[in-house]
Amino acid sequence: MTGATAGPPGRTHLAVNRKVGAATQNQALQALLFLYRHVLEIELPWLDNVTRAGNAKRLPVVLTRDEVRALLSKLQGTPWLIASLLYGSGLRLMESLRPRVKDLALERGELIVRDGKGGKDRVTMVPAALDTPLPAHLSRLHAWYQDERRRGQPGVSLPSTLARKYPHGGRQWGWQYLFPAATLCRDPYTGLPVRHHLHEKAIQRAVAAAVCKAGLTQPASCHTLRHCFATHLLEDGYDIRTLQELLGHADLKTTMVYTHVMAKRAGGVRSPLDRGFASDERAPAARATAQGTGSSAPAKPFCRQPS
C-alpha cells in the first residue's frame, strides 16, 4: 500500500463493501492523507475518485410530555435539577454543568450560557417551575462554599487567561460552579489542585437509569430532553426564530428539523381511511360480517406465489 494508486480500492472497500459510516470513512481518509503527504511525500491523483459514505438524515428522538414527566419523576437531587434545566431551558449537557453562580439571574429568569457550541455566548430562559428549587440549591451551595473557605480548600478551576488575570477568582462566590464536583482534581495548566464541575458521566448514568425505571421504549438520553424542549415549544405555537436563539443554532435549517417531529404535523392530518368511513365507523368487512354475508374465517394474507 505504498503506491500512489493503492489508496482508492481500500477506502472505497470501506464505503461500498463494509458499509461503514461517514465518520469512520473520513477518519480513514485523514489517516491516508497524513501517510501519503507527510510520511511518504506522494501526491494523490486518485483522491477525486474515492467513493464517500453519505451522512444519514436522522430525526431526533422526542418524548411526549407525559414521558418527560415520567422520566423526571424517577430522578431526585442534583440529577433531577440538571435534567429539569436540560428540558426547561434547552441546554446541552455540558452547558448545564459549566455555568457559574454569576451566570444565573433568577430575578430576570435568565441563564447565560458561556462559550457554548461554536464558542458563542447566549441567553436562555430559566423555567418558573424552578423558582423554588434553584434558590434552595444556591442556599445549600453557599453554605458549603463558606465551609470550604473556612477550611482553606482550593478554589474552582478557571480558564488559563482568567486565572492569570484574577489569581484569586477561583475562591470568589460568583465564580463557583452551580454543580461542583465532590472531589478535587489537578489543573492541567498549573498542576495545582482545583475543584471542577460535576462530571457529565454522573448525569448520563442517572438519566439512563431513570429511562429504564420509567419504562420508556424510546432510546432517550440527556440530549433527548433538549430535543423535547424545542419540539414542545413549537407545538405550543412559538416561532422558529425565537427557538433558534434559545437553542443557539447558527443556521435556521438546524432548528427546522424539529418541525418534522411535531405532534401537530402528523396529528393534524386526517387519514383518508378515517374520512372514507366517516359515515360508518365499521369497515366494509365488518359490516358484511354483521349482515351475514361475510365469512367468519380470517382473510388470507396476500402472498406472491413462487414461480
Side-chain angles (χ1 to χ4, degrees):
M1 181 177 162
T2 57
T5 60
R11 189 165 179 272
T12 303
H13 168 73
L14 291 177
V16 177
N17 300 329
R18 295 289 300 276
K19 308 294 184 182
V20 301
T24 304
Q25 185 182 352
N26 290 331
Q27 185 180 35
L29 172 62
Q30 296 305 318
L32 288 174
L33 288 176
F34 183 85
L35 172 66
Y36 278 87
R37 290 177 178 175
H38 302 286
V39 179
L40 303 177
E41 297 182 353
I42 298 176
E43 293 296 328
L44 305 175
W46 46 263
L47 186 59
D48 294 335
N49 300 323
V50 173
T51 303
R52 298 177 180 269
N55 289 317
K57 302 295 183 181
R58 305 292 185 188
L59 291 177
V61 175
V62 177
L63 305 177
T64 65
R65 298 170 196 260
D66 290 339
E67 288 174 333
V68 172
R69 281 191 288 268
L71 170 60
L72 294 178
S73 68
K74 301 302 179 182
L75 296 169
Q76 57 183 351
T78 299
W80 173 85
L81 190 54
I82 294 176
S84 298
L85 284 174
L86 295 177
Y87 176 61
S89 303
L91 301 177
R92 300 176 179 92
L93 177 57
M94 295 306 299
E95 292 174 347
S96 69
L97 299 176
R98 289 174 179 165
R100 304 174 189 260
V101 173
K102 66 182 183 61
D103 298 327
L104 184 62
L106 287 177
E107 65 279 1
R108 298 197 305 268
E110 294 177 352
L111 176 64
I112 302 176
V113 179
R114 306 283 185 183
D115 196 23
K117 191 173 182 179
K120 299 175 295 183
D121 295 354
R122 75 177 190 276
V123 178
T124 188
M125 58 191 290
V126 175
L130 299 181
D131 284 348
T132 299
L134 270 178
H137 172 76
L138 285 176
S139 178
R140 294 189 298 269
L141 182 63
H142 190 262
W144 172 84
Y145 160 77
Q146 290 179 324
D147 182 64
E148 288 281 290
R149 300 287 72 79
R150 283 193 298 267
R151 295 191 293 115
Q153 289 291 91
V156 297
S157 58
L158 293 176
S160 57
T161 54
L162 288 177
R164 290 194 298 267
K165 187 176 182 180
Y166 306 110
H168 303 291
R171 292 188 290 272
Q172 295 177 359
W173 168 241
W175 285 100
Q176 303 304 303
Y177 287 109
L178 282 178
F179 305 104
T183 58
L184 298 175
C185 64
R186 191 164 299 277
D187 190 282
Y189 302 103
T190 64
L192 300 175
V194 293
R195 192 175 301 277
H196 206 47
H197 58 69
L198 189 64
H199 200 280
E200 62 271 18
K201 286 292 184 183
I203 307 303
Q204 290 171 340
R205 293 190 185 103
V207 170
V211 170
C212 294
K213 292 178 182 178
L216 303 183
T217 57
Q218 296 267 43
S221 64
C222 293
H223 204 69
T224 302
L225 295 173
R226 174 176 160 92
H227 295 324
C228 297
F229 165 84
T231 306
H232 294 168
L233 282 185
L234 282 178
E235 292 173 355
D236 289 339
Y238 290 93
D239 64 277
I240 195 75
R241 287 290 184 181
T242 300
L243 188 59
Q244 179 188 9
E245 294 181 4
L246 291 175
L247 293 174
H249 289 161
D251 193 346
L252 186 61
K253 294 180 180 178
T254 307
T255 315
M256 289 293 293
V257 70
Y258 296 108
T259 62
H260 298 287
V261 291
M262 291 173 55
K264 293 181 180 179
R265 185 178 180 90
V269 179
R270 189 176 184 185
S271 169
L273 179 64
D274 299 331
R275 186 177 299 276
F277 306 121
S279 58
D280 190 344
E281 296 181 356
R282 296 175 300 177
R287 292 201 305 268
T289 302
Q291 296 171 0
T293 58
S295 173
S296 59
K300 295 182 179 179
F302 175 78
C303 299
R304 185 182 299 275
Q305 298 296 327
S307 56

